Amino acid sequence: MARKDLIDIASLHPEEIEFLLDQSKSFKKLFTHSVKRIPALEGKSVLMLFYEASTRTHSSFEVAAKRLSAEVTNFDVAHSSISKGESVRETIETLQAMRTDYIVIRHSHPGLPGMIARQTTASVINAGDGAHEHPTQALLDAFTIKEKFPDPRGKKVLIIGDILHSRVARSTSTLLQKLGIEVAYLGPGSLVPKYGPATIRRFTDYEAAMAWAPDVVYLLRVQMERQDVQFFPSLREYHRVYGITTARLAEISDLGLYVMHPGPVNRGVELCDAVMDYERSLITNQVENGISVRMAVLDWLKPGGDFPRQESYVARPKVSSTVLTP
Ligand code: CP
């Protein structure tokens, strides 16, 4: 059975992950070679419903949908009847009546995209729900890592920062582990939850975490907007203890480690300015890969489509013909 929605990473089967990453690669190749648009989603409509700010996710979904020839509507939350007290449910019922094929939603409430998916016939894609999940970010992170390490099994990724409030940490660490990558967390004790998978090592000391010998250092944005109490003394202190300072960047460079960050970056907090010019920074690669990964996701969930489908517009490696249940 084909999937209708992409809500989380945990429920993805290994064959689906492999398929999506392979498709992303094919889409990237196709669009690097001057193709501007393919008719994969001609006649389909994509509604962008962002209740929280976004630069990368919103713009890359929009570009991805347009490259697949879908019609894109940006729902203007600020000027909608939501400002007059309309509930999310009412909004969804209104949008359902318009028969949109896809709803790409970002919202501060964890679980809301999954709830909406159960109430609409449209394919719902979670573009980030509170501190819960950000599945397309995880896919683009995995894709970016696989470009550097085609067989990433046994590689080590150290995720640094505000794990507690991070949907990226949750989705990306789940996906990386599914690919056989070892994951560790580093951050202040107040921001690294003690619960969660026992397979993930936890560090509060930078030097101890570096002694674990990571291949990739993945910095998270400090999410001041989700912190209702103070979790560390000051941003300057955070940078000194957990940030990639100029001195630490020199060490990271000597060790040949890759640096990643989902954006937006708080410069001078998670990273010093020089990281932006660091030759093994993958931050721009992550943004670029977001488009092909989101094309793969939109194409995969195509209404009336099936997984794995035969009528591919891009060269598709062989995938299992097993019928998958979501
Ligand atoms: N990584 C990410 O979700 O960035 P945006 O908030 O800009 O979409």
Side-chain angles (χ1 to χ4, degrees):
M1 197 175 96
R3 248 175 215 271
K4 181 172 87 66
D5 314 294
L6 177 61
I7 304 300
D8 64 8
I9 288 294
S11 66
L12 285 184
H13 295 260
E15 296 91 336
E16 292 176 296
I17 295 166
E18 191 187 336
F19 176 79
L20 283 169
L21 295 178
D22 284 350
Q23 282 291 86
S24 304
K25 191 173 175 182
S26 302
F27 276 123
K28 184 169 179 177
K29 208 181 283 177
L30 190 71
F31 280 83
T32 310
H33 290 99
S34 79
V35 175
K36 292 280 179 282
R37 189 175 277 244
I38 57 171
L41 295 188
E42 208 157 59
K44 305 295 180 203
S45 53
V46 177
L47 182 77
M48 310 282 283
L49 191 53
F50 279 64
Y51 289 82
E52 278 192 333
S54 165
T55 302
R56 291 148 203 80
T57 312
H58 186 284
S59 55
S60 59
F61 260 118
E62 185 163 352
V63 171
K66 286 180 175 170
R67 282 187 182 176
L68 296 173
S69 304
E71 182 188 295
V72 179
T73 305
N74 285 297
F75 184 79
D76 187 352
V77 171
H79 296 101
S80 71
S81 291
I82 289 163
S83 59
K84 299 181 204 159
E86 181 178 82
S87 68
V88 174
R89 185 171 186 153
E90 270 180 280
T91 307
I92 298 300
E93 280 168 3
T94 306
L95 300 174
Q96 168 77 358
M98 296 176 191
R99 304 206 179 283
T100 185
D101 295 300
Y102 294 86
I103 297 173
V104 179
I105 180 166
R106 172 171 287 191
H107 200 283
S108 59
H109 286 186
L112 191 75
M115 196 188 87
I116 291 169
R118 289 188 287 277
Q119 291 177 4
T120 172
T121 53
S123 281
V124 176
I125 302 174
N126 181 2
D129 58 336
H132 181 219
E133 282 260 9
H134 195 348
T136 56
Q137 178 70 44
L139 286 163
L140 76 87
D141 288 340
F143 181 74
T144 304
I145 290 172
K146 267 179 69 86
E147 282 189 317
K148 298 299 171 191
F149 301 110
D151 179 2
R153 285 173 296 179
K155 296 296 172 197
K156 293 179 174 179
V157 175
L158 176 65
I159 302 181
I160 305 179
D162 183 358
I163 312 291
L164 186 67
H165 300 96
S166 176
R167 55 194 174 210
V168 175
R170 187 184 297 260
S171 292
T172 295
S173 58
T174 302
L175 182 54
L176 297 187
Q177 288 190 102
K178 282 180 182 240
L179 294 172
I181 296 170
E182 287 184 51
V183 176
Y185 293 152
L186 165 67
S190 53
L191 290 174
V192 178
K194 309 237 173 343
Y195 51 84
T199 46
I200 297 180
R201 292 192 60 167
R202 281 125 170 112
F203 297 98
T204 51
D205 178 71
Y206 183 89
E207 274 68 38
M210 292 306 279
W212 179 66
D215 300 285
V216 177
V217 174
Y218 191 118
L219 285 306
L220 295 171
R221 188 173 70 86
V222 173
Q223 301 189 50
M224 303 310 288
E225 73 276 17
R226 296 198 205 283
Q227 298 185 12
D228 42 12
V229 293
Q230 204 168 341
F231 286 84
F232 46 84
S234 71
L235 293 177
R236 183 189 292 203
E237 175 78 356
Y238 181 90
H239 183 63
R240 192 181 65 76
V241 180
Y242 295 107
I244 302 304
T245 59
T246 312
R248 284 177 176 163
L249 183 61
E251 183 198 11
I252 282 171
S253 175
D254 288 345
L255 293 169
L257 310 188
Y258 289 102
V259 174
M260 298 176 71
H261 190 302
V265 172
N266 294 308
R267 290 186 186 214
V269 181
E270 300 100 50
L271 305 169
C272 62
D273 280 344
V275 174
M276 295 322 209
D277 299 319
Y278 173 49
E279 60 182 2
R280 288 199 176 82
S281 165
L282 301 179
I283 298 170
T284 307
N285 308 47
Q286 287 171 274
V287 176
E288 187 192 351
N289 290 336
I291 298 174
S292 34
V293 164
R294 287 170 177 129
M295 287 175 77
V297 169
L298 288 164
D299 186 52
W300 175 56
L301 299 176
K302 185 159 68 177
D306 207 344
F307 168 75
R309 298 188 300 276
Q310 300 304 313
E311 77 292 7
S312 178
Y313 288 92
V314 290
R316 180 174 293 179
K318 276 196 183 131
V319 292
S320 154
S321 58
T322 315
V323 176
L324 299 171
T325 47

